[in-house]
Amino acid sequence: QAIKARFIFLSEGCVMHWTAPLQSSFAPFLKGYQAGLETGDTDSACWCLTVRCQYLFYSGRSLEGLQREISTYIDILSQLNLESHKQGVLPFLLAVMKLRGVDDVTQEYGDFDDMLKVAIETGNATNRGRIIFLQMELLVVSKDWERASEMLVKAGNLRRSSPGGFLGVRFTALDALISFKAARASPFFARMKWKKRGVKSMKLLRSWVKKGNGNAVHLLHIVSAELAVLEGKGKRAEDSFKSAVKVAARNGLLQDKALAHRLAGDHYTAQGNTFWANYHKESSQQAYSDWGVKLDVVEEIE
């Protein structure tokens, strides 16, 4: 009983996501939090809350509800005087508020730069990785591929900041996606370098899927589609985009359903296929709106 909270954190945070849906860990993390409080293991209890926040964010949970829940966690962490855990949760709250278009989002908590400064000053590599990673997520949403690729190069291998964790899986997918996008915008030699980097990450992602990681299936479809676009294989790209949308929708992953639709829309626009381009654009906007992204933010995305 004394190590129950730590056991739940390690098993759900570093093991279960490899073979089970992220949603299956929601309840166990709360049990781990409660067990930690009962046994005095507040550190493990708060780790359970921190990783639960991550899983909620990537599972398509309503942004409005997610903001309320994360805000509650921050209040709890403040009361427990666990500043390092609070710093680990704050970047997710900031990302949610930015997506929702909340005014004066940085007034109370600061911006990503402020949080990153704290992480570097305290030597917290895990928080540094989270902050940079979430910034890249928002750049992907805004289709700022140039800044995303610059950040990717500067960040280094963020998998090291989340050993065994789901963020490492997610980073691998974004690494491949951003690399393929950068390749399309680069001259020949840089193009080959970016493509090689993207293929390397995509192969790693595929190896995890083959071993049973269901949380990465739709991500693999998305990056496979982008590789096909890069190589001029239109039919393969369209089939992969279709599969990505289908899997993300089936699992309730609204943000990735929206991403797959948006990338597919870009592909059809480049092909001059107005009907399917408009269909995917409208579907992307609807999925982002259903997730809770503010309408004018959705419009800016397009």
Side-chain angles (χ1 to χ4, degrees), residues 36 56 93 170 244 249:
L56 289 170
L93 179 62
R170 185 80 185 184

Side-chain angles (χ1 to χ4, degrees), residues 108-289:
E108 182 174 0
Y109 301 112
D111 209 335
F112 285 120
D113 288 342
D114 301 314
M115 297 176 188
L116 186 59
K117 181 180 179 181
V118 172
I120 293 174
E121 288 177 348
T122 57
N124 194 324
T126 300
N127 281 353
R128 173 187 174 275
R130 288 195 194 102
I131 295 162
I132 296 174
F133 183 70
L134 284 169
Q135 286 179 288
M136 285 196 291
E137 289 275 10
L138 295 181
L139 290 173
V140 167
V141 170
S142 64
K143 296 201 298 189
D144 193 341
W145 302 111
E146 182 177 356
R147 286 181 61 200
S149 60
E150 291 174 354
M151 185 167 288
L152 185 64
V153 172
K154 293 179 181 178
N157 187 354
L158 293 183
R159 279 190 297 272
R160 296 172 182 170
S161 67
S162 181
F166 177 72
L167 285 188
V169 176
R170 185 80 185 184
F171 169 74
T172 301
L174 282 198
D175 190 338
L177 174 60
I178 295 170
S179 294
F180 291 148
K181 285 293 189 180
R184 292 181 63 189
S186 300
F188 181 78
F189 289 110
R191 177 188 178 95
M192 292 299 101
K193 183 178 179 179
W194 277 114
K195 180 181 177 181
K196 181 179 179 180
R197 174 173 181 153
V199 168
K200 181 179 179 180
S201 287
M202 191 179 79
K203 286 181 177 179
L204 184 56
L205 198 65
R206 180 179 289 119
S207 71
W208 293 332
V209 170
K210 287 182 177 179
K211 292 176 181 178
N213 192 327
N215 296 306
V217 172
H218 68 290
L219 298 174
L220 179 60
H221 286 310
I222 288 174
V223 298
S224 296
E226 282 300 316
L227 176 60
V229 170
L230 179 62
E231 296 178 337
K233 299 175 181 177
K235 181 62 168 60
R236 182 181 295 180
E238 291 156 15
D239 289 343
S240 293
F241 281 132
K242 183 177 180 180
S243 295
V245 169
K246 182 178 180 180
V247 175
R250 184 173 66 234
N251 293 311
L253 308 175
L254 289 172
Q255 70 272 46
D256 291 331
K257 175 185 175 183
L259 176 61
H261 272 304
R262 182 165 55 83
L263 295 173
D266 290 344
H267 165 68
Y268 281 110
T269 297
Q271 297 298 310
N273 190 327
T274 305
F275 175 82
W276 284 112
N278 289 338
Y279 164 75
H280 283 290
K281 176 181 178 180
E282 292 169 4
S283 297
S284 175
Q285 290 177 329
Q286 185 61 57
Y288 275 124
S289 180

